[in-house]
Amino acid sequence: DVKVTQSSRYLVKRTGEKVFLECVQDMDHENMFWYRQDPGLGLRLIYFSYDVKMKEKGDIPEGYSVSREKKERFSLILESASTNQTSMYLCATDSYGYTFGSGTRLTVV
Amino acid sequence: AQKITQTQPGMFVQEKEAVTLDCTYDTSDPSYGLFWYKQPSSGEMIFLIYQGSYDQQNATEGRYSLNFQKARKSANLVISASQLGDSAMYFCAMREQKDQFYFGTGTSLTVIP
């Protein structure tokens, strides 16, 4: 089975901090995605990548950037965290369908 | 327009009863896939069932079945013999030909003992 690992289950950060959310997959999948999940809004796509060093904006990229230096690792970066970025962040990889990581609950105070 | 619509924010079902979670979709692609995911309180998203747009028969996986009505653009999830462990959020999703996924806003299911 494909495994997608997100480095932290819970994070608390201060406003203005630079935040890194890491995602690693153990299969050779090319496609990786970052979503945020908020009550009543479902999952919204932030960024995705179809290959190393490649990135595409999703529906809500503002305030975020990503890095994909190696195929197995896709990082989401909050350059200057704000309270409206408090959310659940989900990483996914894609072959036949999505396989998700266990999620990171980020609180920005 | 919303690509995926789940109109039931919350549902309750008695243990051992069947429950249907509604999902309608909007696409003009001739080829697409429909998915259901379960998200327990722990937060992980678990794949449940898949239906391809060209599949003639409704998909089934154990106690899960997908009631696919193509003309009505609906893909309802049916859970038979509900168990307490079925209490979770359920998300319907669609994948179009250009590979983007679209998710609904989810339905919170509570199974009552």
Side-chain angles (χ1 to χ4, degrees), chain B residues 37-79:
Chain B
Y37 290 86
K38 172 185 178 181
Q39 187 181 41
S41 57
S42 56
E44 65 202 286
M45 295 279 277
I46 302 165
F47 166 75
L48 293 179
I49 196 166
Y50 166 81
Q51 179 85 41
S53 59
Y54 291 120
D55 293 343
Q56 297 293 321
Q57 299 207 331
N58 287 342
T60 60
E61 289 286 348
R63 294 185 299 111
Y64 303 109
S65 60
L66 199 152
N67 184 1
F68 181 45
Q69 298 188 47
K70 196 170 183 176
R72 297 180 62 184
K73 293 190 174 178
S74 77
N76 298 340
L77 177 71
V78 180
I79 305 174

Side-chain angles (χ1 to χ4, degrees), chain B residues 2-98:
Chain B
Q2 292 278 10
K3 287 282 191 179
I4 295 285
T5 303
Q6 294 180 253
T7 57
Q8 306 154 314
M11 291 279 286
F12 292 87
V13 64
Q14 204 77 37
E15 196 178 3
K16 299 189 178 73
E17 297 290 315
V19 63
T20 298
L21 306 183
D22 294 341
C23 173
T24 57
Y25 60 92
D26 180 29
T27 183
S28 55
D29 281 3
S31 177
Y32 53 89
L34 297 157
F35 300 78
W36 277 92
Y37 290 86
K38 172 185 178 181
Q39 187 181 41
S41 57
S42 56
E44 65 202 286
M45 295 279 277
I46 302 165
F47 166 75
L48 293 179
I49 196 166
Y50 166 81
Q51 179 85 41
S53 59
Y54 291 120
D55 293 343
Q56 297 293 321
Q57 299 207 331
N58 287 342
T60 60
E61 289 286 348
R63 294 185 299 111
Y64 303 109
S65 60
L66 199 152
N67 184 1
F68 181 45
Q69 298 188 47
K70 196 170 183 176
R72 297 180 62 184
K73 293 190 174 178
S74 77
N76 298 340
L77 177 71
V78 180
I79 305 174
S80 62
S82 297
Q83 301 172 356
L84 296 178
D86 294 334
S87 292
M89 284 289 290
Y90 289 81
F91 290 93
C92 180
M94 176 177 67
R95 179 187 202 156
E96 291 181 320
Q97 281 183 312
K98 56 185 181 296

Side-chain angles (χ1 to χ4, degrees), chain A residues 65-102:
Chain A
S65 63
V66 289
S67 172
R68 187 130 183 238
E69 296 296 318
K70 292 185 179 181
K71 197 171 191 176
E72 67 269 20
R73 185 181 295 271
F74 191 36
S75 303
L76 180 69
I77 304 158
L78 286 66
E79 295 290 342
S80 177
S82 63
T83 55
N84 64 13
Q85 291 177 310
T86 291
S87 188
M88 170 72 136
Y89 290 88
L90 289 161
C91 174
T93 184
D94 175 34
S95 56
Y96 170 73
Y98 274 10
T99 300
F100 286 89
S102 53

Side-chain angles (χ1 to χ4, degrees), chain A:
Chain A
D1 281 350
V2 176
K3 192 162 183 184
V4 181
T5 303
Q6 292 183 234
S7 52
S8 305
R9 290 299 300 274
Y10 300 93
L11 274 180
V12 181
K13 296 292 182 180
R14 294 194 181 276
T15 301
E17 274 193 76
K18 191 169 186 175
V19 181
F20 292 86
L21 303 183
E22 305 287 348
C23 176
V24 178
Q25 50 129 340
D26 67 356
M27 292 293 285
D28 202 29
H29 290 172
E30 289 167 346
N31 304 343
M32 296 187 76
F33 305 81
W34 274 107
Y35 286 85
R36 66 176 280 176
Q37 182 185 4
D38 301 287
L41 297 176
L43 278 74
R44 293 180 291 167
L45 182 63
I46 306 171
Y47 266 97
F48 60 100
S49 170
Y50 287 156
D51 206 347
V52 175
K53 297 197 186 294
M54 178 268 177
K55 59 186 178 185
E56 292 283 346
K57 292 180 180 179
D59 300 319
I60 52 162
E62 297 77 19
Y64 303 93
S65 63
V66 289
S67 172
R68 187 130 183 238
E69 296 296 318
K70 292 185 179 181
K71 197 171 191 176
E72 67 269 20
R73 185 181 295 271
F74 191 36
S75 303
L76 180 69
I77 304 158
L78 286 66
E79 295 290 342
S80 177
S82 63
T83 55
N84 64 13
Q85 291 177 310
T86 291
S87 188
M88 170 72 136
Y89 290 88
L90 289 161
C91 174
T93 184
D94 175 34
S95 56
Y96 170 73
Y98 274 10
T99 300
F100 286 89
S102 53
T104 297
R105 292 187 190 273
L106 174 67
T107 303
V108 183
V109 297

